[in-house]
Amino acid sequence: MSEVSHLTDQLSKASWAYRWSVTVLLSYVTMKAAFDIFILNLATANVPFHCAQAVIDNQTTEWGSVNVSELADTANFSILDYKCFAPQFAREDNGRLAPIQVINDSSASNRPCTAWTYWPTEPGRRNMLMEYDFMCDRAYLADRMQTIMQAGIFVSCCFAPLADAFGRRLPFILFAYIDLTSTILVIFVRDLTAQMVLRFFMGFGSPAVLTGVAYLTELISEDYHGLHGNFYWILWVVGYTTSGVIAYLVMEWRLQMVLVAAIIATGYLSYPWSLIDSPKWLFASGHQSAAKDSLLRLFRRHGLDTATVETMKVDEESTELKGESETLQSSQANAELDSDSKKRRRQQPSNFELVRRQLSRLLPKESLCQSKYLAVEAAFTVLFVANAMSYFSSSFRRDFITKNPYLNVVISGALELPAAFLAWFLTDRCGRRISNMLLLLPAGLLLILVPFVPQPPDVTFGAKSACALLSKFLITVSFCIVLIFGSESLPTNIRATSFILASQVMRLGQTLAPELNGLLLNVNPAFPNFFYGGFCVASGLLLILLPETHNRPMPDSIADMAGLSLPDACLPRARRQLQLQSVELPSRQSPTV
């Protein structure tokens, strides 16, 4: 395996075009993920509105047909006070319209409003909230759209471990194309139920994002993980920031989706011919000939000398099944199979058995018996959850900085660009572990202090806002680093599976965060900050237990994992299996005559 790593490092150092082409292409999925979340967040943003109906002498009419000058008491009446119920009037003898006193909105005599007049900031704007009338008793549907997408993200991550069974390339392309296809269909579908179903499948881009992290760290030399690993998330920042610009300039939400699909398709359509499976995964999975072929293609594509690749030694036993298949086909075409060939053909596994074996490799039983692996996996799960819950709790707030939701997205997204560059600097200069500690601890303390920072109600941006933004900035930097840190710490043969398992718990916490936030607010307004801030501080302290991965080779198996000398947690049966695997099998010999 060290030979494959050496060749990959050689390729990365010799060709900057290879490094950047791989990084940019894989990063398209992060930009698409940002578009999906924040374009939808702005498409369902609330706009000023009032009821477009009125009831005069018990007859419902359009508000536009009402002559406001006929109102008996114009000083004490405002149509802006009527959102979910139509105003009611009785015509007096002098022809004036006298409003009927309404006790409260739940009065049985009130007429629920069924049509509204919207006041978008710019004339001609039409978002999803306006098209589907997410008002009053339908207001919950605006948040339900985002919840359904998050549910799609959560469910889809169950399939992401396929990247450990069938390689990085095929699952990556499959999930990316499901997301793109759903985005295109959203443009043409009018039915609200169908829209929600498609939003669910747009969440299937998430496994591609997470698989892309493992994919990138295996294709790029460790010397460039800091630079390229953080650039992978810079396109998320580009998508985040651009979402506010697109949503503001393009006033029809369906046209916004057309523009998003066009931008993303420029990268996605090149995937089938431009991406090659990870040589490290191929080699670790026993496909040594395929790993060599993959390296040869990469070296030739970027004009490098292939002599070192051609001299790469390949274990013939790893290609035994391929050789047997070719022998069988040749024998069938030219002559009768001998008895030994027939026996091999009878013993050849069926397609179903091959798939079952691949799936069983996702998380080998012996992995669950290694306390070292379980401890690292649990630690990164906690780190992922702490970063995600703290990050998204502030990102989804449309009034986080100003009252303009479009400007908020642009500012909040732009702040993440220096965060990505700072993450690159810290990972290369300070390492992964100490950088995360120096980020999470002050971020958590700032979150805890935010409720106690005074800020007058008439001040738009003050000390409290500055503390909140700084804490979000630090959490963003930590989020960039911890994903690289986790990918480097987990073994190659189960890296994608381990990464996805931790991410699944992260997505669950992200989904439950709004409900948890509401429960804590009911107890005390400061409790959400205490919870998220305390979680960040505890996660920062947890990093003391993890080994540093900077300038160290990535582990190919659990045995290669550094640090955390813990006793095995194997069950007796699993321990026997491990002992049997450690016994050197005798070489095969020809039968004695």
Side-chain angles (χ1 to χ4, degrees):
M1 187 63 178
S2 58
E3 188 175 5
V4 176
S5 299
H6 173 72
L7 292 171
T8 303
D9 292 350
Q10 180 181 341
L11 177 61
S12 296
K13 295 175 181 178
S15 176
W16 63 267
Y18 160 74
R19 298 197 313 268
W20 285 109
S21 61
V22 167
T23 305
V24 171
L25 284 174
L26 294 180
S27 299
Y28 263 83
V29 296
T30 67
M31 182 165 59
K32 178 59 166 61
F35 280 144
D36 290 345
I37 292 175
F38 296 107
I39 289 286
L40 176 61
N41 200 39
L42 293 173
T44 55
N46 198 5
V47 294
F49 70 97
H50 65 78
C51 185
Q53 297 169 323
V55 179
I56 301 177
D57 293 334
N58 212 28
Q59 297 294 323
T60 302
T61 184
E62 294 183 1
W63 173 251
S65 64
V66 175
N67 188 352
V68 180
S69 62
E70 295 179 352
L71 297 179
D73 186 8
T74 57
N76 296 320
F77 176 84
S78 174
I79 187 62
L80 299 180
D81 295 333
Y82 294 87
K83 297 182 180 299
C84 299
F85 297 91
Q88 299 186 54
F89 302 94
R91 192 172 293 278
E92 298 177 341
D93 294 338
N94 59 5
R96 309 285 287 182
L97 295 176
I100 298 175
Q101 182 68 29
V102 177
I103 300 175
N104 53 59
D105 286 345
S106 62
S107 175
S109 62
N110 288 344
R111 297 286 184 91
C113 193
T114 57
W116 294 268
T117 294
Y118 302 98
W119 293 354
T121 307
E122 295 80 18
R125 180 174 300 281
R126 187 167 181 80
N127 65 9
M128 185 179 291
L129 180 138
M130 300 164 67
E131 178 174 333
Y132 292 106
D133 287 336
F134 292 160
M135 302 296 166
C136 301
D137 60 340
R138 292 168 56 86
Y140 72 95
L141 292 172
D143 293 329
R144 185 64 52 83
M145 296 287 287
Q146 191 70 254
T147 301
I148 287 176
M149 180 182 289
Q150 294 298 322
I153 292 173
F154 178 76
V155 173
S156 66
C157 286
C158 296
F159 301 98
L162 295 175
D164 276 339
F166 301 102
R168 313 304 192 214
R169 177 179 175 273
L170 181 60
F172 179 85
I173 295 176
L174 174 63
F175 289 117
Y177 276 20
I178 291 175
D179 182 16
L180 180 60
T181 303
S182 301
T183 302
I184 295 173
L185 292 176
V186 157
I187 300 169
F188 302 100
V189 168
R190 299 286 175 176
D191 181 70
L192 179 59
T193 302
Q195 280 283 344
M196 291 188 170
V197 171
L198 290 173
R199 294 290 172 177
F200 177 84
F201 284 104
M202 283 176 66
F204 274 62
S206 181
V209 174
L210 297 173
T211 300
V213 177
Y215 204 172
L216 184 65
T217 53
E218 292 172 2
L219 289 175
I220 302 295
S221 169
E222 193 276 336
D223 295 339
Y224 301 100
H225 281 179
L227 173 61
H228 293 267
N230 285 291
F231 185 87
Y232 184 76
W233 296 107
I234 285 181
L235 284 192
W236 162 275
V237 178
V238 172
Y240 192 162
T241 308
T242 309
S243 294
V245 178
I246 292 175
Y248 180 76
L249 296 178
V250 182
M251 299 185 185
E252 168 62 46
W253 75 269
R254 293 182 186 275
L255 295 180
Q256 295 170 11
M257 301 305 298
V258 171
L259 184 57
V260 168
I263 293 172
I264 296 303
T266 58
Y268 279 23
L269 294 180
S270 68
Y271 283 169
W273 60 268
S274 62
L275 294 180
I276 294 177
D277 217 335
S278 164
K280 290 185 178 181
W281 177 87
L282 290 170
F283 198 93
S285 302
H287 308 291
Q288 297 187 15
S289 294
K292 182 176 181 179
D293 293 340
S294 182
L295 285 169
L296 282 171
R297 291 178 61 186
L298 289 173
F299 271 68
R300 289 167 182 163
R301 178 181 294 179
H302 295 278
L304 302 179
D305 185 12
T306 60
T308 54
V309 182
E310 291 171 349
T311 58
M312 173 181 167
K313 296 180 180 180
V314 176
D315 185 0
E316 296 298 333
E317 291 189 8
S318 67
T319 57
E320 182 179 356
L321 183 60
K322 179 180 177 182
E324 288 181 359
S325 176
E326 292 174 350
T327 302
L328 289 175
Q329 292 177 1
S330 175
S331 301
Q332 288 174 350
N334 299 311
E336 251 182 276
L337 295 171
D338 57 19
S339 59
D340 187 51
S341 297
K342 290 180 181 179
K343 181 178 180 181
R344 287 202 303 270
R345 186 172 66 174
R346 286 194 300 268
Q347 294 176 347
Q348 187 175 4
S350 63
N351 292 333
F352 176 80
E353 178 64 16
L354 289 174
V355 172
R356 188 193 66 78
R357 290 181 184 178
Q358 289 281 58
L359 293 175
S360 66
R361 291 168 44 204
L362 291 178
L363 192 62
K365 292 180 180 179
E366 58 269 21
S367 301
L368 299 176
C369 300
Q370 299 292 325
S371 297
K372 180 190 298 185
Y373 165 76
L374 293 176
V376 171
E377 175 72 2
F380 280 108
T381 300
V382 173
L383 285 169
F384 285 6
V385 173
N387 276 275
M389 293 181 71
S390 303
Y391 174 85
F392 283 103
S393 64
S394 59
S395 295
F396 283 130
R397 289 181 56 184
R398 300 186 182 100
D399 59 348
F400 187 58
I401 305 172
T402 71
K403 298 298 182 181
N404 187 325
Y406 308 102
L407 183 60
N408 288 340
V409 170
V410 173
I411 294 175
S412 187
L415 286 173
E416 298 197 11
L417 188 60
F421 282 104
L422 180 59
W424 165 34
F425 175 82
L426 290 175
T427 50
D428 279 352
R429 298 297 179 90
C430 303
R432 282 54 160 162
R433 183 178 64 173
I434 189 65
S435 297
N436 268 291
M437 290 180 63
L438 294 176
L439 292 165
L440 282 175
L441 292 176
L445 293 175
L446 281 171
L447 280 176
I448 294 173
L449 292 175
V450 163
F452 304 100
V453 178
Q455 180 171 311
D458 57 337
V459 175
T460 302
F461 188 93
K464 179 175 290 189
S465 301
C467 287
L469 280 177
L470 180 58
S471 66
K472 183 178 184 295
F473 175 80
L474 295 176
I475 291 169
T476 303
V477 180
S478 175
F479 211 166
C480 293
I481 297 175
V482 76
L483 292 172
I484 300 173
F485 190 17
S487 183
E488 291 177 341
S489 300
L490 298 166
T492 300
N493 61 335
I494 52 173
R495 178 171 293 125
T497 301
S498 305
F499 206 77
I500 297 303
L501 289 175
S503 300
Q504 275 291 76
V505 181
M506 177 189 75
R507 298 296 183 189
L508 180 60
Q510 180 181 325
T511 303
L512 297 176
E515 297 294 331
L516 180 60
N517 190 55
L519 292 174
L520 294 174
L521 279 173
N522 291 333
V523 178
N524 189 292
F527 273 24
N529 290 77
F530 291 164
F531 175 77
Y532 294 121
F535 205 171
C536 288
V537 171
S539 301
L541 296 175
L542 182 64
L543 284 160
I544 298 175
L545 303 177
L546 294 175
E548 178 60 68
T549 60
H550 184 44
N551 290 328
R552 296 180 183 179
M554 291 191 299
D556 296 324
S557 63
I558 294 177
D560 298 331
M561 295 175 68
L564 287 176
S565 300
L566 299 172
D568 289 345
C570 298
L571 298 174
R573 179 181 177 184
R575 184 179 290 111
R576 288 197 301 271
Q577 291 177 348
L578 289 174
Q579 291 173 350
L580 289 174
Q581 290 177 0
S582 64
V583 177
E584 183 177 357
L585 297 177
S587 58
R588 290 183 292 182
Q589 298 178 354
S590 57
T592 304
V593 179

